[in-house]
Amino acid sequence: MGEVDVEVGGILRMDGQETKLALNEGGSLFVHITKSQQGSDTGMFTCHIRGLDIKNIESGLLGLGAIDPYFELSKKFVDPDHGISRWHVVYRSEHILNSINPYWNPFEIDVDRLCNGDCPGKELKIAVWDHENWGEDRWLAEVEVSVAELQKSVTKGGNASRDNALRVEDANEEVMGLLVVLKAGVVA
């Protein structure tokens, strides 16, 4: 792919602390640097999510196509000096072939990476995407939550229960499916 040399101090002095760098063998690398913000929470955040009734946007051959969904978990970053807010992907699931009811693998992530050690109220976003073998993946829908809301949304009725499921919506606020939280918690 290539490589690039970068000076961190130069990026830290930029508005938004973000830049696009050209790789020496073609392509680009987007770099965003933030100052460390340590909270008091430590440990690993463990989570398991599955999708239900994710809207099929694939037409496929003879109308028989199906989506290949995956999700991205992002944390919100607000630059205190410039007021610019951005979402930073901290986890990306595997994509599940041809499924409107994907059952993704459980995952864990260090709370420092997830929420800078300040978890309960940290703003998070779960975005559902359709994986494409050719061309760009397609965004389907998203939901904004906090770590505390994820923990409160853990299902009590099994992996197909819709009772506490999170609704993922598109840009027009149309419900594009549900996310069932099977497990969510911080383990020291």
Side-chain angles (χ1 to χ4, degrees), residues 53-103:
D53 305 324
I54 306 294
K55 186 171 181 180
N56 187 10
I57 60 168
E58 289 283 344
S59 55
L61 186 63
L62 303 174
L64 300 175
I67 60 171
D68 306 318
Y70 66 92
F71 72 88
E72 291 180 339
L73 177 63
S74 301
K75 68 179 176 181
K76 190 172 191 176
F77 169 77
V78 179
D79 182 336
D81 298 328
H82 303 95
I84 299 169
S85 65
R86 300 208 191 306
W87 291 99
H88 295 258
V89 175
V90 294
Y91 177 79
R92 181 176 290 121
S93 75
E94 75 283 8
H95 68 273
I96 306 294
L97 293 174
N98 303 318
S99 179
I100 61 169
N101 297 307
Y103 191 85

